[in-house]
Amino acid sequence: MMLAAFFLIAAQPTVADTARADALEDDIVVIARKMTEWRGSVKWNGDMVTCKTTKSTKNAMVDKLGCDAMIFCTTPDVRAEVDSLKDRKISKAERARRGDLVGLQVNECAEERAHILVAAWLEQRRAAE
């Protein structure tokens, strides 16, 4: 019984560990909130995709995270679909509908990718402590 109590006490996180975990969780909340404010645009230069922040969060790391996610999600398939929308044989309404779909797909992908990038950042921060 005493041994079990010892392990329970030994397994409890220290106040410092709890404070660090709380601080990291707070950072994640701040990053998530800031990501909703971020806006950016992508363009192709040959086969390279570049990103420009059009509405900064005033946090360079968060802005970079947003661009990294958008670049990751702007695939050759996305480019092909966007290029196909230049065809004037497609009705304006159909082009708008398909453009909206591509935008939604890229945004969903970028949101998922941003979560992955934030998780990786969190792991780096934890490892550094």
Side-chain angles (χ1 to χ4, degrees):
M1 181 71 161
M2 283 295 277
L3 191 56
F6 170 77
F7 283 117
L8 284 175
I9 292 169
Q12 297 298 315
T14 66
V15 172
D17 289 341
T18 303
R20 276 194 297 273
D22 288 346
L24 288 173
E25 294 302 317
D26 289 345
D27 286 346
I28 290 171
V29 170
V30 169
I31 290 169
R33 189 183 74 244
K34 286 187 173 288
M35 282 303 301
T36 64
E37 300 167 5
W38 180 84
R39 299 290 180 270
S41 64
V42 292
K43 69 177 185 176
W44 289 276
N45 292 324
D47 290 338
M48 293 285 297
V49 179
T50 59
C51 177
K52 179 181 179 183
T53 294
T54 58
K55 183 180 177 197
S56 176
T57 63
K58 308 296 187 249
N59 180 308
M61 192 271 298
V62 175
D63 290 352
K64 181 180 180 330
L65 191 144
C67 268
D68 289 350
M70 289 292 290
I71 288 170
F72 178 85
C73 295
T74 306
T75 63
D77 289 342
V78 168
R79 182 178 189 174
E81 182 62 20
V82 170
D83 287 346
S84 76
L85 297 177
K86 295 174 185 173
D87 183 353
R88 296 295 178 196
K89 295 177 187 170
I90 302 170
S91 72
K92 186 176 181 178
E94 179 64 11
R95 284 195 313 267
R97 185 189 71 75
R98 286 172 48 186
D100 288 346
L101 285 175
V102 170
L104 285 173
Q105 290 169 348
V106 170
N107 287 340
E108 286 175 8
C109 173
E111 187 174 315
E112 289 174 21
R113 184 66 181 172
H115 286 280
I116 292 167
L117 293 172
V118 169
W121 172 81
L122 177 59
E123 288 301 314
Q124 288 176 340
R125 289 276 307 264
R126 284 182 177 157
E129 293 183 350

